[in-house]
């Protein structure tokens, strides 16, 4: 991290909140959790519901960040990935899929991988309803009241599997005041975004609200072999609500539906296979060099199924051009459909409040993918279907006793979930040519072999001999997984209590306990057809296998890649059950009305599960004990977190908070590529420790600054973790600074202004810990800056704004991975370029 980046980040100050336009103000006024205003015009106490009851944020002994809806708008944040711009301890990355590959990390801790068998360590809750995977919460956000980013385990308060933290997203409620709004934006890459909504009272006790939006933008990653672009945006949503408010009871019912139809996500080959010098003693470096050259040569060879002028790998590596090579007959389509209904009941029973949240959600994704990450047509994914159906029920009772000496809460949570997956990884039109090219390059000039080398399938013509004179059976176009079908049923329940004991007016003790129990049942029906793999495993191939000698594992890898290995065909069933206690114990001391000190312990937990990928099975032909359902199983993850902190509120013009934490994660769930396959391993131990600081400064009522800083130190401690052992977790920079400033001057009696700028500065960090991959995938320190300026008229009823995201067009790698079957080749997912545009809005 350079001093220039530190200074740039430290000088970009941030606003915590800005005035909302009229409709948002009207809706917020009806919400009991809305931010209040004091007589001086400064923002008043921020009320949060992080502990299951309404409390002033500065009085809650939890490390949390509160982001207002207007701050999200000013920062150009349209989905949860953008929250990293305003919360320094939060990292959000997207890998090979925006639907299934979103990873949330708090304090460096998250669950990587796009396999639907993984559940996130950071829970996402929208209006109290669990979103079972991060990607399920990725649709464009409706109008937001606030987002609470809770750092550290939250098991005694939120749903399940929140070992690292939680995002508690609260949307705007219906208002009994008639109001509405409309927004229209246009930007570069032909971006069009439209949102509109209306709210009002239907009767004296019933109000309703309807919001909808459409968002479209051309892709920013170019295909070197066609005029296509990847990483576009094409999505829409509609959301309706009704609110009943009686004297003692309220009921809020929400229904929503959303769709996306996009091309995501493009990855750029870093040319590492060409650049890492092959070491004869290291098969990976030899394969990387050979594979890169074969891809480049064969892609454009008409005699080998290529096309004149087709690019195999874009060279030289120029990440800022954001150009990738893909096979023209393959795409990266990603279609998502989701809907859900929920009901929240709050009932004052006389000294005791009952809260019940019932929800049902249905989410489906359909994806295609060019998985050789090149212009050569080696392999692809077609018709990948995954789905989640969740029924959740949460019930809470809370009240007080002993004249306010005890603020108690007890509750229960139930989840019934069905996860389905149909995977189809298949070989393309140049699958056998690629393998023959690899073996020809590896065997040419070797002692005891023909000088021109050998091939396995016979695709290079009679001039290049076939190994042992016996060609492997050719692979038909589309060979591979006919369909791998998985179904996992999860039933989980929990009982919890979270209590605040007010020992005195200044001293309080928080005690929480949670009992978790769950059961997972899995069924798998796997069917893959690869003629060469079938042959190698047949008794008739015994002599052939023996003749391969030391080359057998390599031949077997390319003919029987674990992802399509027909040895693993069959039906499998299994189940796992587990129970765990978690809890919290914190002491807080109110030094004065302006200063709170707190400290304590949290126990976090994330359940185990199944890796829905046949690549995790053991092969008998490679020395394993054969496919068993337990090969797919991984254990749970627990966290022991110690934390001390302070919160200050010296005046409405200045707030300053800080915390110091030390977390030990045992059984940390990690999905890693092990040369030939992706496998889930439970790391023995991962340490996450650090310091968090944030400040809000309001010198005058229309000028707000916000500064956040996180010092983070993570370390993997597991001798079996390979290159990760002793290293920081990937995508966990040591220093992060978020800063922004908002100025909202009143220029005249009918004209107001807006000037907003925010920035996030990350220090150096690895996206991959592989020693060979680090030079091609790491990120040097960088700063991302967003800005927005505008005018509003007639008391915010009309407005116009100009915006820019990534003002300086800064490039960085979102994440990276080793390319399967290509040795030391690595690919990266590039950051978005500069986006800019203009927005018009009106409200009543």
């Amino acid at each position: 991290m350079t001093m220039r980046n530190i200074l740039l980040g430290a000088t970009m100050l941030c606003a915590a909140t800005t005035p909302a336009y009229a409709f948002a103000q009207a809706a917020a006024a009806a919400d009991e959790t809305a931010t209040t205003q004091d007589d001086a015009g400064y923002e008043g106490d921020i009320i949060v519901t992080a502990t299951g009851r309404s409390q002033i944020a500065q009085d809650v002994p939890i490390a949390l960040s509160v982001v207002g809806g207007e701050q999200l708008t000013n920062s150009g944040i349209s989905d949860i990935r953008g929250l990293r711009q305003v919360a320094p301890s939060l990292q959000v990355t997207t890998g090979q899929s925006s639907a299934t590959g979103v990873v949330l990390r708090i304090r460096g801790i998250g669950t990587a991988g796009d396999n639907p068998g993984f559940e996130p360590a950071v829970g996402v809750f929208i209006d109290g309803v669990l979103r079972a995977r991060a990607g399920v919460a990725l649709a464009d956000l409706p109008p937001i009241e606030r987002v609470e980013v809770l750092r550290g385990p939250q098991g005694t308060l939120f749903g399940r599997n929140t070992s690292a933290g939680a995002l508690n997203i609260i949307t705007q409620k219906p208002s009994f005041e008639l109001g509405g709004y409309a927004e229209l934006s246009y930007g570069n890459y032909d971006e069009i975004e439209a949102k509109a909504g209306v709210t009002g009272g239907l009767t004296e006790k019933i109000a309703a609200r309807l919001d909808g939006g459409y968002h479209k933008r051309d892709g920013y990653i170019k295909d070197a072999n066609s005029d296509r672009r990847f990483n576009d945006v094409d999505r829409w949503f509609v959301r309706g609500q009704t609110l009943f408010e009686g004297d003692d009871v309220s009921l809020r019912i929400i229904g929503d539906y959303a769709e996306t139809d996009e091309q995501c996500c493009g990855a750029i080959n870093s040319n590492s296979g060409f650049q890492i010098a092959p070491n004869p003693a290291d098969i990976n470096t030899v394969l990387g060099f050979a594979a890169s050259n074969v891809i480049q040569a064969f892609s454009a060879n008409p005699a080998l199924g290529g096309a004149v002028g087709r690019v195999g790998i874009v060279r030289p590596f120029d990440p800022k051009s954001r150009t990738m090579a893909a096979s023209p007959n393959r795409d990266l389509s990603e279609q998502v459909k989701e809907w859900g209904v929920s009901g929240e009941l709050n009932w004052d029973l006389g000294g005791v409040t009952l809260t019940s949240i019932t929800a049902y959600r249905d989410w489906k994704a359909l994806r295609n993918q060019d998985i050789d990450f090149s212009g050569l047509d080696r392999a692809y994914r077609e018709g990948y279907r995954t789905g989640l159906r969740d029924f959740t029920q949460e019930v809470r009772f809370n009240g007080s006793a002993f004249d306010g000496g005890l603020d108690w809460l007890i509750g229960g949570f139930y989840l019934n979930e069905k996860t389905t997956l149909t995977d189809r990884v298949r070989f393309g039109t140049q699958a056998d040519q690629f393998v023959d090219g690899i073996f020809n390059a590896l065997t040419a000039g070797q002692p005891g072999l023909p000088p021109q080398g050998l091939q396995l399938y016979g695709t290079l013509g009679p001039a290049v001999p076939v190994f042992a004179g016996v060609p492997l059976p050719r692979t038909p176009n589309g060979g591979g997984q006919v369909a791998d079908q998985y179904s996992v049923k999860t039933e989980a329940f929990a009982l919890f209590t979270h209590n605040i004991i007010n020992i005195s007016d200044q001293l309080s003790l928080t005690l929480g306990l949670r009992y978790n129990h769950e059961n997972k049942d899995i069924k798998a029906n796997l069917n893959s057809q690869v003629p060469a793999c079938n042959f190698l495993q047949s008794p008739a191939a015994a002599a052939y296998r023996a003749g391969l000698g030391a080359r057998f594992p390599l031949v077997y890898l390319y003919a029987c890649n674990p992802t399509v290995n027909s040895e693993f065909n069959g039906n499998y069933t299994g189940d796992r059950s587990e129970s765990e206690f978690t809890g919290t114990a914190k002491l807080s001391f109110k030094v004065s009305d302006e200063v709170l000190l707190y400290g304590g312990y949290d126990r976090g937990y994330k359940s185990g599960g199944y890796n829905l990928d046949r690549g995790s099975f053991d092969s008998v032909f490679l020395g394993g004990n054969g496919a068993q359902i337990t090969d797919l199983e991984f254990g749970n993850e627990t966290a022991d977190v110690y934390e001390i902190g302070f919160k200050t509120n010296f005046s409405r013009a200045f707030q300053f908070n800080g915390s110091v934490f030390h977390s030990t994660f045992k059984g940390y769930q990690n999905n890693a590529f092990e040369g030939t396959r992706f496998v889930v391993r439970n790391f023995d131990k991962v340490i996450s420790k650090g310091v968090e600081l944030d400040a809000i400064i309001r010198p005058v009522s229309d000028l707000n600054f916000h500064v956040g800083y996180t010092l983070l130190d993570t370390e993997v401690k597991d001798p079996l973790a390979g290159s990760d052992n002793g290293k920081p977790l990937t995508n966990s920079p040591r220093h992060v600074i978020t800063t922004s400033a908002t100025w909202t001057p009143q220029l005249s009696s009918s004209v107001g202004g807006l000037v907003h700028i925010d920035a996030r500065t990350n220090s150096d960090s690895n996206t991959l810990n592989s020693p060979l991959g680090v030079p091609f995938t790491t990120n040097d320190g960088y700063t991302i800056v967003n800005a927005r300026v505008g005018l509003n008229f007639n008391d915010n009823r009309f407005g116009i704004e100009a915006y820019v995201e990534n003002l300086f067009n800064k490039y960085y790698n979102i994440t990276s991975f080793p390319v399967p079957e290509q040795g030391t080749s690595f690919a990266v997912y590039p950051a978005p370029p500069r986006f800019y545009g203009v927005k018009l809005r009106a409200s009543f």
Side-chain angles (χ1 to χ4, degrees), residues 211 226 255 312 322 384 494 701 728 740 831:
D211 295 284
S226 70
R322 295 177 173 85
Y384 174 101
S701 61
S740 50

Side-chain angles (χ1 to χ4, degrees), residues 93-98 100-103 114 231 264-267 369 814-817 829:
T93 58
T94 302
Q96 62 180 327
S97 166
S98 63
T100 61
V102 176
V103 180
D114 75 337
N231 289 41
C264 191
C265 298
Q369 189 181 12
I814 297 176
T815 186
S816 60
F817 60 95
Y829 292 102

Side-chain angles (χ1 to χ4, degrees), residues 738-807:
T738 58
T739 54
S740 50
T742 301
W743 183 37
T744 55
Q746 191 65 35
L747 304 178
S748 71
S749 60
S750 60
V751 180
L754 167 68
V755 179
H756 173 89
I757 189 167
D758 63 61
R760 180 186 176 102
T761 298
N762 278 13
S763 64
D764 303 350
S765 64
N766 289 346
T767 61
L768 199 66
N769 280 332
S770 163
L772 290 173
V774 165
F776 305 98
T777 61
T778 194
N779 281 321
D780 294 330
Y782 63 90
T783 298
I784 301 298
V785 180
N786 299 333
R788 186 175 296 258
V789 296
L791 295 172
N792 62 79
F793 308 92
N794 296 336
D795 195 25
N796 260 320
R797 294 193 177 277
F798 304 97
I800 182 170
E801 297 169 356
Y803 62 87
V804 59
E805 300 173 26
N806 193 2
L807 176 63

Side-chain angles (χ1 to χ4, degrees), residues 400-581:
S400 61
F402 308 111
D403 295 326
L406 172 65
D407 183 357
W408 58 269
L409 182 150
I410 59 173
F413 175 81
Y414 173 77
L415 166 73
N416 189 299
E417 176 180 279
K418 183 176 181 180
T419 305
T420 57
L421 170 65
T422 299
D423 200 4
R424 296 182 178 92
V425 173
R426 296 177 172 177
F427 288 119
T429 57
Q430 294 174 287
D432 296 345
Q433 290 94 327
F434 170 74
V435 175
D436 277 352
I438 293 288
F439 277 86
N440 180 242
L442 296 179
T443 57
Q446 294 296 310
L449 297 177
Q452 68 269 49
L454 297 170
Q455 56 183 324
L456 295 177
Y457 292 94
T459 65
L460 306 185
V464 181
V466 172
F467 186 86
V470 180
L472 290 179
R474 294 290 301 272
T475 307
N477 181 27
Q481 293 176 0
V482 177
D484 279 6
Q485 297 178 326
Y486 303 86
S487 173
V488 179
K489 293 182 179 180
T490 301
E491 190 169 32
F493 70 86
L495 300 174
F496 57 89
T497 181
H498 189 91
N499 307 287
I500 303 171
I501 304 170
N502 297 307
I503 300 171
S504 69
D505 290 342
Q506 293 177 294
L507 184 65
S508 65
L509 174 65
T510 299
L511 295 175
L513 183 66
R514 181 186 183 99
Y515 171 73
N516 306 272
H517 177 80
E518 78 167 48
N519 188 79
K520 283 187 169 74
D521 292 299
I522 183 173
K523 293 182 179 179
N525 182 354
L526 312 183
N527 186 5
S528 179
Q529 296 300 322
V530 184
C533 187
N534 295 339
F535 167 74
L536 283 177
Q537 296 172 9
S538 67
Y544 186 86
R545 293 195 300 266
L548 289 171
R551 295 186 179 91
F552 173 74
L554 188 59
V555 173
Y556 193 78
L557 165 64
Y558 281 103
C560 298
N561 184 292
T563 304
V564 296
N565 190 340
S566 53
E567 177 189 346
F568 307 145
N569 287 351
N571 292 291
Y572 304 85
T573 60
D575 66 89
R576 56 174 286 119
S577 181
E578 57 186 286
S579 300
E580 187 77 24
F581 281 97

Side-chain angles (χ1 to χ4, degrees), residues 348-377:
D348 185 351
L349 302 175
V352 176
T353 300
L354 163 66
T355 299
S356 173
I357 303 175
T358 307
Y360 178 83
R361 299 207 60 82
D362 186 289
W363 179 91
K364 298 182 180 70
L366 174 64
R367 295 171 47 207
N368 293 341
Q369 189 181 12
D370 187 353
I371 59 173
D372 56 56
F373 301 97
S374 73
L376 180 141
D377 190 22

Side-chain angles (χ1 to χ4, degrees), residues 59-90:
D59 291 342
V60 179
I62 295 175
L64 61 87
S65 302
V66 184
V67 185
E70 291 71 85
Q71 186 179 354
L72 298 177
T73 299
N74 291 336
S75 298
I77 296 172
S78 60
D79 61 44
I80 61 174
R81 286 175 293 191
L83 291 173
R84 65 190 296 273
Q85 190 70 9
V86 292
S89 290
L90 175 68

